[in-house]
Amino acid sequence: MFIQPEWQWKQENGSSMHQWIKQKQNPTANDVDIIVYGALLSYASDPSKKAQYPNAFRKAWSGFQSYNLDEQVDLRALAIVDIGDVAIDPKNRMLSESAIEAAAENLSIAYQKSFTCLIGGDHAITACSLRGIKNAFPKDRIGIIQLDTHLDARNQEEIGLAMNSPIHQLIASGVVEGKHIYNVGLHGFFNSPEMIYYAREQGMHMITLKQMRRDGIQLTILEMLRQLMHEVDRIYVSVDLDALDITFAPDVPAATPGGLTAYELFDILKLIGENEGVRHIDFIYADPKHNDLRIETVKTGVTAFLQWLTGIQLDHRNRISRKEKAGYGATP
């Protein structure tokens, strides 16, 4: 089901990212806080082309340390394992999507206490991953937070297999309800009237950048998480890197002017990481059609991943602190 990634690091101790993230298959469930895996399904029209970002993501690890100076946390307290890439068939997209779905299902069952993080690849993998999670937990209501410039809800029956219809797929198949989908990052002239109408008809929550910047990032994200925690059993976050302004992600195919700044994305992901209800996340669409990925885009994506981990570590630290305080006041 999984193959070793093309880019692997020698396993050794240290504070660099490539030293404290372990790369191995079939780790013991109790020894893992976060499972990382890749899906090489590519947006490119050439069926033989594999997505670049999973390997570029891993290759960049040596340039990052475990310590977040801004938040004063050391991420080495988290047990993170990269188990490799889903074995896909580059000549058969349907088989590849089925393989990603099966991988997400198996990981969700085998590592129920762990967070899962999927690195892609085009946005179709989000639908595959969520179908797998729903297969694993059929009774669970799933909520989606989608960081994206686009609604990604085009009618698949009209356009055929396409990476920009995952939300429509998920609603049509009953995996999620529209009212449990929150899209953050919408702006400008990049969604058709028909798609906006469909989103409204399905009850999707469309939070524009203008609205979020007016109300404040922290207030907006915390209120969104609070609502979802009351509505669903588990939350899935999809980070489409085209949510970033084109100056921060110049080679992401659908990046646009006026999108999120890198700093805004980092703040959002830290807040999301601090909420334990978010069990699954993906980072996708750093997948240029023709050129190689630029290091600026890769480093921004890795930093976004680390900010999410920072939120998880802050949440762990705060939980321990609350337990200790409660213990001090306990009667022996």
Side-chain angles (χ1 to χ4, degrees):
M1 181 169 291
F2 292 97
I3 58 174
Q4 291 185 343
E6 293 179 15
W7 191 270
Q8 288 188 284
W9 291 98
K10 180 181 178 181
Q11 299 296 281
E12 56 186 359
N13 294 324
S15 60
S16 291
M17 192 176 173
H18 70 291
Q19 295 171 320
W20 54 269
I21 294 183
K22 305 305 179 186
Q23 290 182 288
K24 61 181 179 180
Q25 294 184 338
N26 301 317
T28 303
N30 291 333
D31 296 335
V32 181
D33 295 314
I34 295 101
I35 285 282
V36 177
Y37 66 112
L40 301 178
L41 197 67
S42 176
Y43 163 72
S45 56
D46 181 357
S48 66
K49 183 178 179 182
K50 295 180 180 179
Q52 299 180 41
Y53 187 52
N55 283 320
F57 171 79
R58 295 175 175 112
K59 191 174 182 178
W61 289 354
S62 61
F64 294 85
Q65 293 288 319
S66 65
Y67 196 80
N68 186 325
L69 185 61
D70 297 314
E71 304 297 336
Q72 299 186 40
V73 297
D74 192 333
L75 298 179
R76 285 180 295 180
L78 298 172
I80 307 171
V81 179
D82 170 19
I83 62 170
D85 295 321
V86 180
I88 64 171
D89 183 344
K91 296 182 180 180
N92 190 318
R93 188 177 179 93
M94 292 187 70
L95 283 178
S96 296
E97 292 191 4
S98 295
I100 297 167
E101 179 179 334
E105 178 180 355
N106 289 341
L107 289 177
S108 298
I109 294 171
Y111 300 95
Q112 293 190 30
K113 294 182 180 180
S114 305
F115 300 90
T116 63
C117 177
L118 175 56
I119 308 295
D122 77 40
H123 213 167
I125 69 171
T126 297
C128 303
S129 176
L130 275 156
R131 287 196 297 268
I133 293 166
K134 186 65 174 179
N135 292 341
F137 306 106
K139 295 183 179 180
D140 280 9
R141 297 165 299 172
I142 301 174
I144 300 175
I145 297 173
Q146 181 177 331
L147 304 181
D148 203 331
T149 294
H150 310 92
L151 289 163
D152 288 347
R154 295 174 67 188
N155 189 333
Q156 190 175 5
E157 292 181 0
E158 296 176 1
I159 61 176
L161 279 174
M163 46 68 61
N164 56 357
S165 61
I167 299 303
H168 188 281
Q169 292 180 43
L170 292 166
I171 292 174
S173 61
V175 174
V176 295
E177 296 183 59
K179 66 181 180 180
H180 295 151
I181 299 172
Y182 288 71
N183 193 302
V184 180
L186 301 168
H187 66 279
F189 306 89
F190 309 108
N191 291 277
S192 70
E194 292 79 11
M195 207 179 323
I196 294 169
Y197 175 80
Y198 173 80
R200 287 175 177 159
E201 185 180 49
Q202 296 298 323
M204 292 169 58
H205 302 267
M206 295 179 282
I207 302 170
T208 66
L209 275 180
K210 183 176 181 179
Q211 176 186 347
M212 184 173 69
R213 286 166 175 160
R214 180 195 65 206
D215 297 340
I217 289 176
Q218 182 170 4
L219 180 64
T220 300
I221 299 301
L222 291 180
E223 177 60 20
M224 178 177 59
L225 287 165
R226 185 192 67 79
Q227 290 183 31
L228 270 176
M229 288 293 288
H230 286 290
E231 296 171 357
V232 301
D233 301 297
R234 61 182 60 238
I235 302 171
Y236 187 107
V237 173
S238 182
V239 184
D240 188 329
L241 291 173
D242 77 19
L244 287 164
D245 186 276
I246 196 168
T247 57
F248 295 97
D251 51 349
V252 171
T256 61
L260 287 167
T261 68
Y263 322 109
E264 288 172 331
L265 178 63
F266 300 158
D267 285 346
I268 289 170
L269 286 168
K270 183 182 74 70
L271 290 169
I272 285 172
E274 291 182 82
N275 188 289
E276 196 179 28
V278 177
R279 306 304 303 172
H280 315 278
I281 195 167
D282 66 42
F283 292 85
I284 52 94
Y285 206 26
D287 190 29
K289 195 169 184 178
H290 301 296
N291 302 321
D292 290 336
L293 269 171
R294 298 189 194 183
I295 192 62
E296 305 98 287
T297 303
V298 176
K299 286 188 173 182
T300 300
V302 174
T303 304
F305 168 75
L306 292 172
Q307 285 293 109
W308 171 63
L309 295 182
T310 296
I312 293 174
Q313 179 59 17
L314 286 171
D315 181 55
H316 285 184
R317 188 172 70 179
N318 291 336
R319 287 173 183 274
I320 291 171
S321 178
R322 287 195 294 269
K323 287 181 179 179
E324 290 177 345
K325 288 179 181 179
Y328 295 149
T331 302

